[in-house]
Amino acid sequence: MEQSTESPSPPVNYLTIDHGVRSWLLTVDHKRIALLYLASITIMFFLGSLFAAMIRLELLTPAGDIVQSDTYNKMFTLHGVIMIFFFLVPSIPAVLGNWLIPVMVGAKDLAFPRLNLASWYIYVVGALFTLYAMFTGGVDTGWTFYTPYSTAAATTKVIPTALGVFISGFSSILTGLNFIVTIHRMRAPGLTWFRLPLFVWAHYATSLIMILGTPVVAVTILLVGLERAFHIGIFDPALGGDPLLFQHLFWFYSHPAVYIMILPSMGVISEIIACFSRKRIFGYGFVACSSLTIALVGFLVWGHHMFVSSQSVYIGLVFSILSFAVAIPSAVKVFNWTATLYKGSISFEAPMIFALGFLGLFTIGGLTGLFLAAMGLDVHVHDTYFVVAHFHYIMVGGALMGYLGGMHFWWPKMTGKMYPEVWARISAVIVFLGFNLTFFPQFVLGYLGMPRRYHFYPDEFQVLNVMSTAGASILGIGYIIPVIYFLWSLRYGAAATANPWHAAGLEWTIPSPPPTENFEETPVVEEEAYHYPITVSEVQGVA
């Protein structure tokens, strides 16, 4: 008999089981939906980055000689709206959370697959409204939509932009609902609460904020639209409204929204540090509970955005104390990550370099937040570039470094392909250096008194602004490089094994990329989270 010389066909996985645009646009597979989100938010990220680059070019010179003031106002507004509502808020939950949470808890999908797909369509519709506003004249209110300017004076596309933000909020609500029900009801046998990966704990806490906080800002933005369209006296004092009411409602959501952006990143860092130091996270229970503490206390500190708004000094004192208090659970995480690294068997793969960069940048961002929590000092640096620098050290230095670290960590699992490790390490270093050169000078600018959102400034500030713009160009290169080698890896990258990092967790026990339903049989969990070190036989068993 002749033996067949044909090589066996590769196993079917979630990427190859169906083909064609229709199979993607109508999919209910959480992993494919995560990739739809990945494509969408990547487009929005580079669009927001384009506005950031234009802002930095304008600030090269003190004369404001590239664009007019109105155009500059639109640039920083669209940069903020796109980056916050259409990139940072959905980035890790919608991409990595969507892809990983069912796998990490041993489920075949999220609890509500069709709602998951609907959440992506809602996100896209919200983004289209905002893009329509951008292409038909822009909006100049700042991403905070402060009243009464946004309701009575602005002549730009406030309502379409506000509608985009309003609609996208429902995407967050549905995602948070899906995560909470999945984590409560679909965990594998043996996967108790204190065996959950810290990534799951972080997303659970984030989902609570999404569900409790997002409706507040949605209603607030809706009221802005109603007042602007029908002249109802809600926020405009000329109509009997109260502009401070808007600030209270807006910041009641928007400060917890900072934790929507940073908590998932903290979950990513816990996974990476445990893997590349080959140790269980020090004080696992404290790190898990600190995520919930941040989520809950985060709802009580919104008033520190209003120290100069004429609110009572006594209530300002309360908000100041609470703002110092919310730093404690964040400090617990940083301390425990550092203790995990102590005497660990550390290896410096690209995800770990991103994670270590996160530790440094987030720590600087957190410590400078304490300056802003102090009432007297906040009066001096309020609405200056000190606030811009602090915010970006948390959001870009923290949330984005965590997102990139997570993408590098789980990319082999998501695609079945390895990226070039050397280029990834180079990218991580470039991002870290470019970020510091961009934003550290802004602390000095703010302390010296340069207000944010101005494109004219005194000549003595030019050197620091030139340094910041030079850093932004380096940072931009650092962000473009991963896009290139990730796309390259899809065609030319080496095939990834099931567990290329020798990591612990259910996601590393299934093939890379996994089948549509994740697990052939429902797994049974018999070990604590992060049972390091992983032995060679365990890795070979899933290869």
Side-chain angles (χ1 to χ4, degrees), residues 8 12 59 69 142 158 197 208 240 293 295 312 361 363-364 383 390 415 418 434 438 459:
V12 175
L59 293 173
S69 298
V158 177
L208 293 175
T293 305
S312 163
L361 299 179
T363 301
I364 293 173
D383 266 345
H390 157 72
T415 65
M418 299 298 293
T438 302
D459 292 346

Side-chain angles (χ1 to χ4, degrees), residues 272 348-358 401 421 424-425 428-429:
I272 294 174
F348 293 99
E349 278 83 358
M352 186 61 158
I353 298 175
F354 278 108
L356 294 176
F358 170 98
M401 287 290 275
E421 178 67 24
R425 295 180 186 182
V429 173

